[in-house]
Amino acid sequence: MRINCLACGHKVTLDDAYDNFEGPVKCLCGAMLEIRTEDAMLKGIMLVEPRPRPAPESKRMEGAAAT
Ligand SMILES: [Zn+2]
């Protein structure tokens, strides 16, 4: 699966591990993209402002997108 970086337009290639994924992905240009995928389909993508500290394994469920 590929996603387009919102900052530079680069096509970021993601492997199967990202078929069902929600979280940040880093582009070559250094931009952080917050993506959400489901069954290898891109459900959402947004550009994340760079943060001073790296985010470790913080898994949050903030998916109140029901109904
Ligand atoms: Zn980029």
Side-chain angles (χ1 to χ4, degrees), residues 4-52:
N4 278 336
C5 174
L6 298 181
C8 70
H10 177 78
K11 288 185 176 61
V12 182
T13 303
L14 303 175
D15 60 27
D16 294 347
Y18 292 89
D19 281 357
N20 287 283
F21 178 80
E22 181 172 353
V25 170
K26 193 171 187 179
C27 175
L28 292 176
C29 72
M32 290 294 290
L33 302 167
E34 184 88 20
I35 67 166
R36 187 174 50 197
T37 63
E38 196 176 303
D39 296 331
M41 295 278 291
L42 188 63
K43 294 293 184 180
I45 180 170
M46 59 182 275
L47 190 60
V48 180
E49 296 295 325
R51 294 177 189 176

